[in-house]
Amino acid sequence: EVELVESGGGLVQTGGSLRLSCAASGFTFDDYAIGWFRQAPGKEREGVSCISTTDGSAIYADSVKGRFTVTNDNTRNTVYLQMNSLKPEDSAVYYCAALMGGELELVGSQYDYWGQGTQVIVSS
């Protein structure tokens, strides 16, 4: 059974940091790219970042470039999203997702599997 489990969300002040984790199981991890998405209440889902588990290359949304860093640990089938200099507008439910084939992509409709999400709240 395919499973993606996010963790690490929480409440943080503006300027603070959080590290999200996405633990994957049930599929061949390095056959997939792993993306991070977020959705705030009343807003559309936004692609945040995507990493190739094959070579570690990554892409980012302009809104998070220079503040967020995505990494992978293939020995643990886990992808991390380090979020620094957090802003209130970063508040959302964050989801990880898996895209077969490993292409880097920030369009959520292309993804095959999704986690349940973890809440991030950045207080002003």
Side-chain angles (χ1 to χ4, degrees), residues 89-107:
E89 52 263 44
D90 294 317
S91 298
V93 177
Y94 283 71
Y95 302 88
C96 66
L99 173 61
M100 187 174 184
E103 292 293 318
L104 299 180
E105 177 63 71
L106 291 181
V107 175

Side-chain angles (χ1 to χ4, degrees), residues 1 23 29 39 48 50 56-58 63 65 76 78 82 87-88 91 96 99 103 105 108-109 113 123:
E1 179 185 1
F29 190 66
Q39 189 164 21
V48 173
C50 178
S57 58
S63 58
K65 276 181 185 175
R76 291 183 167 84
T78 299
Q82 179 67 43
K87 306 174 182 180
S91 298
C96 66
L99 173 61
E103 292 293 318
E105 177 63 71
S109 60
Y113 305 114
S123 64

Side-chain angles (χ1 to χ4, degrees), residues 60-99:
Y60 298 90
D62 288 344
S63 58
V64 306
K65 276 181 185 175
R67 300 189 298 122
F68 290 11
T69 303
V70 62
T71 57
N72 62 296
D73 182 348
N74 286 16
T75 66
R76 291 183 167 84
N77 284 7
T78 299
V79 168
Y80 304 97
L81 184 67
Q82 179 67 43
M83 307 187 297
N84 298 330
S85 302
L86 283 162
K87 306 174 182 180
E89 52 263 44
D90 294 317
S91 298
V93 177
Y94 283 71
Y95 302 88
C96 66
L99 173 61

Side-chain angles (χ1 to χ4, degrees), residues 4-12 18-23 35-41 46 48 68 79-83 86 90-97 114-122:
L4 294 167
V5 179
E6 303 93 338
S7 61
L11 174 64
V12 65
L18 284 174
R19 189 178 80 155
L20 306 184
S21 299
C22 172
W36 284 98
F37 295 81
R38 65 187 182 185
Q39 189 164 21
E46 176 188 16
V48 173
F68 290 11
V79 168
Y80 304 97
L81 184 67
Q82 179 67 43
M83 307 187 297
L86 283 162
D90 294 317
S91 298
V93 177
Y94 283 71
Y95 302 88
C96 66
W114 290 82
Q116 293 300 306
T118 185
Q119 178 82 55
V120 171
I121 300 173
V122 184

